[in-house]
């Protein structure tokens, strides 16, 4: 060691010793140690975003506190600045104000205390029922379960909607997209599914993104009037909220659902809708001057939704066997399902339910286009009795629609074609269903069995609703024990099948006629009557 090196080492040692004595003295006076805290300064504030100088140790997606208490989210980190997404109003912020780190990522309260509550994307209550005293918080951004942590999707998630449960079945742990133009009933399908979970033990999380406040209030009122809000959590980020809250909202909703999954329970989460979510993310990206891509969306727009929806799954028994089922909603324009965001989501999800505006205008409700809808899980999740009844119903219905289309060009039809069209039209009438009137699975099986086997062929289409109601009553009065066995997974025996068909034939005999009722246009018959 040279003389200069020895002198430098001695000076450094003296400085360290002096610093230790100062800290010790201050600790004796104040009773606490000095803590180093990084503090940044606001460089500029814009619409929903801010630029910050300093904070060299800030982590990606770390929660920051700006000015007097406005929360922010570290969104874009570069060498000379930090781009922050505001999670509150930035009206009171000004350049030069202090920005503090919190040392933790963005998280949200979770647990049973949230059931029946309406919260924002940060878990703050919006219903005026006081604070939520949750003891557990989870990060909004979490890693999806690995392949070895997952189990096959085999348990059905009954929606109570005949056309979906029969032809496009959904399983617990599945990701099923609901796609269609505006005002075609997308939200109605999701809300009816939530209502149908009242007695199933499935916890529901409804996340609204960028919707009008009046529409969100209507959904909440529907859930409350039908006693469905008690098993549901509503995460609301309306169109009036900052874009940061709209981006965070679905991840917060997923974390809330994942908490119940980790306890071995089943959860359902609805995202309404992810087009608005993508637009909010595009807005933030453009404000941060990220390079735009197709339709001005940033290059990571696919990853935005993939990392969200991959978190919905069915866990294996070693991890409790819980599940999260995702029903993302996406709005199309002019029936263009080949647009950028819809095609991204179709490739991520396990199938889609397509709602057609043409069917909606003809009064076929719910307006599910069976030909353009698909469930990649399929009949694996259906009960054995349901699968026996509806196994080939989709094929028969598709063949009927094709035959009906060609029959419009024919002046005369043979008797066999007339019979096939008559039965197909009755099946279409049976698949119609009023909103907010979910049907139990045993009743669905009885009605669909009667329609598929021709029991309703002589019933005028205008009377199919009354015939359906009569069959449902017979099922509840005479076959309640059989219905309970079917719900347990028992197959439908030939003897039970014949007994149900005989009972359905007797129930609809007063409505049967020998001729086709004239004057009723295809697809315009009335909806089935509600159960009193």
């Amino acid at each position: 060691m040279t003389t200069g090196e020895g002198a430098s080492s001695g000076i450094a040692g003296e400085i360290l010793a002096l610093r230790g004595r100062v800290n010790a003295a201050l600790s004796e006076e104040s009773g606490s140690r000095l803590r180093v805290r990084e503090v940044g300064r606001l460089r500029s504030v814009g619409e929903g975003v801010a630029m910050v100088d300093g904070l060299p140790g800030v982590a990606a997606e770390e929660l920051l506190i700006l000015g007097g208490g406005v929360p922010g989210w570290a969104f874009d980190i570069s060498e000379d600045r930090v781009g922050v997404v505001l999670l509150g109003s930035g009206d009171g912020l000004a350049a030069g104000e202090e920005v503090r780190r919190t040392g933790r990522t963005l998280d949200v309260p979770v647990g049973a205390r949230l059931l029946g509550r309406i919260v924002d994307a940060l878990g703050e209550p919006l219903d005026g029922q006081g604070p939520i005293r949750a003891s557990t918080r989870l990060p909004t951004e979490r890693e999806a379960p690995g392949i070895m942590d997952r189990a096959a999707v085999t348990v059905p998630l009954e929606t109570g909607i005949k056309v979906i449960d029969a032809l496009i079945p959904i399983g617990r742990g599945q990701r099923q997209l609901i796609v269609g133009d505006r005002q075609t009933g997308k939200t109605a399908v999701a809300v009816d599914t939530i209502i149908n979970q009242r007695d199933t033990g499935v916890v529901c999380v409804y996340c609204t993104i960028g919707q009008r406040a009046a529409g969100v209030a209507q959904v909440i009122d529907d859930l409350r009037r039908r006693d469905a809000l008690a098993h549901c959590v509503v995460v609301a980020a309306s169109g009036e909220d900052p874009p940061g809250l709209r981006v965070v909202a679905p991840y917060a909703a997923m974390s809330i659902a994942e908490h119940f999954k980790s306890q071995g329970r089943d959860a359902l989460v609805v995202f309404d809708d992810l087009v608005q979510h993508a637009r909010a993310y595009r807005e933030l990206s453009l404000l941060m001057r990220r390079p735009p891509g197709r339709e001005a969306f940033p290059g990571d727009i696919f990853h935005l939704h993939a990392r969200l929806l991959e978190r919905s799954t069915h866990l294996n028994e070693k991890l409790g066997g819980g599940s999260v089922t995702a029903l993302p909603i996406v709005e199309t324009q002019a029936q263009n399902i080949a647009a950028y965001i819809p095609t991204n989501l179709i490739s991520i999800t396990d199938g889609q339910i397509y709602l057609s505006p043409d069917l909606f205008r003809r009064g076929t409700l719910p307006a599910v286009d069976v030909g353009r809808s698909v469930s990649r899980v399929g009949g694996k999740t259906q009960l054995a009795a349901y699968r026996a009844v509806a196994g080939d119903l989709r094929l028969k219905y598709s063949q009927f629609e094709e035959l009906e289309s060609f029959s419009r060009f024919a002046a005369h039809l043979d008797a066999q074609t007339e019979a096939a069209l008559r039965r197909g039209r009755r099946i279409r009438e049976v698949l119609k269903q009023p909103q907010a009137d979910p049907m139990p699975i045993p009743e669905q099986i009885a009605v669909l069995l009667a329609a598929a086997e021709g029991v309703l062929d002589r019933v005028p289409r205008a009377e199919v609703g009354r015939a359906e109601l009569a069959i449902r009553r017979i099922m509840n009065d005479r076959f309640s024990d059989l219905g309970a066995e079917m719900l347990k997974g028992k197959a439908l025996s030939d003897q039970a099948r014949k007994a149900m068909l005989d009972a359905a034939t007797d129930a609809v005999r007063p409505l049967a006629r020998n001729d086709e009722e004239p004057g009723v246009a295809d697809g315009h018959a009335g909806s089935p009557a509600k159960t009193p």
Side-chain angles (χ1 to χ4, degrees):
M1 179 183 295
T2 63
T3 306
E5 290 176 347
S8 299
S9 299
I11 294 173
E14 292 179 2
I15 293 175
L16 289 174
L18 179 60
R19 182 180 297 176
R21 290 194 295 272
V22 170
N23 286 337
L26 290 174
S27 297
E28 292 177 359
E29 286 188 16
S30 60
S32 62
R33 290 182 175 272
L34 287 178
R35 291 181 298 174
V36 178
R37 186 180 68 179
E38 290 186 20
V39 177
R41 296 290 174 183
L42 276 172
R43 176 193 292 185
S44 62
V45 181
E47 288 292 332
V49 298
M51 299 299 172
V52 177
D53 291 326
L55 303 180
V58 69
E61 301 173 1
E62 182 176 350
L63 182 64
L64 307 175
I65 303 299
L66 291 77
V70 179
W73 175 33
F75 183 75
D76 202 5
I77 301 175
S78 61
E79 294 181 356
D80 60 338
R81 64 176 178 83
V82 178
V84 179
V85 174
L86 300 182
L87 301 176
S89 176
D91 294 340
L93 296 176
E97 290 194 65
E98 184 179 275
V99 179
R100 304 187 307 277
R101 292 181 58 189
T102 63
R104 60 187 178 91
T105 57
L106 189 63
D107 55 20
V108 66
V110 297
R113 293 180 182 271
L114 272 76
L115 293 177
R117 302 297 300 271
I118 297 97
V119 299
D120 64 10
L122 302 179
E124 298 297 326
L126 299 174
D127 51 11
Q129 299 182 15
I132 298 174
R133 305 187 185 281
S135 58
T136 307
R137 300 182 72 92
L138 288 179
T140 56
E141 288 276 3
R142 304 183 71 203
E143 187 175 348
I147 296 296
M148 301 306 296
D149 295 335
R150 304 179 183 227
V153 177
T154 56
V155 180
L157 180 87
E158 295 93 353
T159 66
I161 304 172
K162 289 172 290 186
V163 66
I164 296 178
D165 290 338
L167 307 180
I168 320 156
I170 302 173
R172 299 186 183 184
Q174 189 173 342
R175 297 156 296 191
Q176 185 77 2
L177 183 66
I178 301 175
V179 57
D181 286 9
R182 65 184 306 271
Q183 299 297 323
T184 53
K186 301 184 298 298
T187 300
V189 168
V191 171
D192 284 359
T193 303
I194 293 175
I195 293 173
N196 195 53
Q197 309 310 313
R198 286 176 298 193
D199 302 320
T200 64
V202 177
V203 177
C204 301
V205 182
Y206 176 73
C207 177
T208 171
I209 310 161
Q211 305 297 322
R212 294 181 303 167
V216 177
Q218 181 63 47
V219 170
I220 295 172
D221 184 62
D222 290 343
L223 294 174
R224 183 178 287 113
R225 285 189 292 108
R226 290 168 177 83
D227 299 326
L229 193 59
H231 70 275
C232 184
V233 182
V234 178
V235 180
S238 66
E240 293 80 12
D241 289 331
L245 289 178
R246 282 177 270 154
V247 170
V248 169
Y251 297 96
M254 181 61 79
S255 293
I256 293 172
E258 282 182 322
H259 172 75
F260 296 102
K261 179 188 69 175
S262 65
Q263 295 181 331
R265 302 180 63 179
D266 296 307
L268 167 68
V269 57
V270 176
F271 303 113
D272 189 9
D273 70 275
L274 290 188
V275 166
Q276 297 293 339
H277 181 242
R279 290 172 180 169
Y281 189 75
R282 176 176 62 182
E283 180 181 349
L284 292 177
S285 298
L286 293 175
L287 289 171
M288 293 291 182
R289 301 186 181 276
R290 287 187 173 182
R294 177 179 168 184
E295 297 182 18
F297 286 106
D300 61 341
I301 192 67
F302 183 89
H303 181 250
L304 175 76
H305 291 148
R307 72 176 190 263
L308 169 68
L309 296 176
E310 279 295 324
R311 292 163 62 180
S312 61
T313 187
H314 177 211
L315 296 178
N316 59 36
E317 292 299 328
K318 293 182 180 179
L319 297 177
S323 69
V324 172
T325 307
L327 292 181
I329 297 175
V330 60
E331 180 182 307
T332 56
Q333 295 181 345
Q335 306 184 50
N336 182 21
I337 61 174
Y340 190 27
I341 301 303
T343 52
N344 280 350
L345 289 167
I346 287 173
S347 65
I348 295 170
T349 52
D350 304 317
Q352 68 273 352
I353 299 170
Y354 179 73
L355 300 177
S356 167
D358 297 331
L359 293 176
F360 188 88
R361 285 190 291 267
R362 292 205 300 262
T364 303
L365 301 176
V368 177
D369 189 332
V370 177
R372 303 176 76 176
S373 302
V374 65
S375 174
R376 298 188 180 96
V377 175
K380 295 179 181 179
T381 63
Q382 284 181 317
L383 297 171
Y386 210 143
R387 187 164 54 249
V389 172
D392 58 348
L393 187 61
R394 181 186 179 95
L395 177 60
K396 290 181 178 179
Y397 190 72
S398 299
Q399 291 174 342
F400 152 70
E401 289 184 322
E402 185 177 356
L403 180 62
E404 185 183 44
S405 177
F406 280 107
S407 68
R408 293 169 183 164
F409 300 100
H412 300 285
L413 301 175
D414 58 81
Q416 185 178 0
T417 303
E418 287 281 8
L421 291 173
R422 185 180 297 113
R423 181 167 301 180
R425 287 164 182 157
R426 269 58 181 183
I427 293 176
R428 179 165 57 197
E429 293 300 318
V430 163
L431 292 178
K432 293 180 181 180
Q433 190 168 344
Q435 184 179 349
D437 184 28
M439 184 181 295
I441 293 298
E443 296 179 18
Q444 292 187 35
I445 294 174
V447 171
L448 292 173
L449 177 63
E453 295 297 330
V455 174
L456 304 178
D457 285 1
R458 294 182 179 274
V459 177
R461 275 174 286 168
E463 301 293 337
V464 169
R466 293 177 58 191
E468 179 182 335
L469 184 58
I471 295 172
R472 294 175 63 181
R473 287 173 175 166
I474 287 290
M475 185 67 197
N476 287 326
D477 294 341
R478 295 172 51 181
F479 298 97
S480 58
D481 293 339
L482 177 60
E485 292 179 355
M486 289 189 292
L487 290 175
K488 294 178 181 178
K490 185 177 180 179
L492 187 64
S493 65
D494 294 338
Q495 182 179 0
R497 185 187 186 99
K498 184 179 183 303
M500 291 173 62
L501 287 173
D502 292 341
T505 302
D506 294 338
V508 304
R509 184 172 287 116
L511 301 173
R513 297 182 184 177
N514 292 324
D515 56 343
E516 175 80 5
E517 184 182 21
V520 181
D522 292 344
H524 287 272
S527 299
K530 291 187 178 182
T531 303

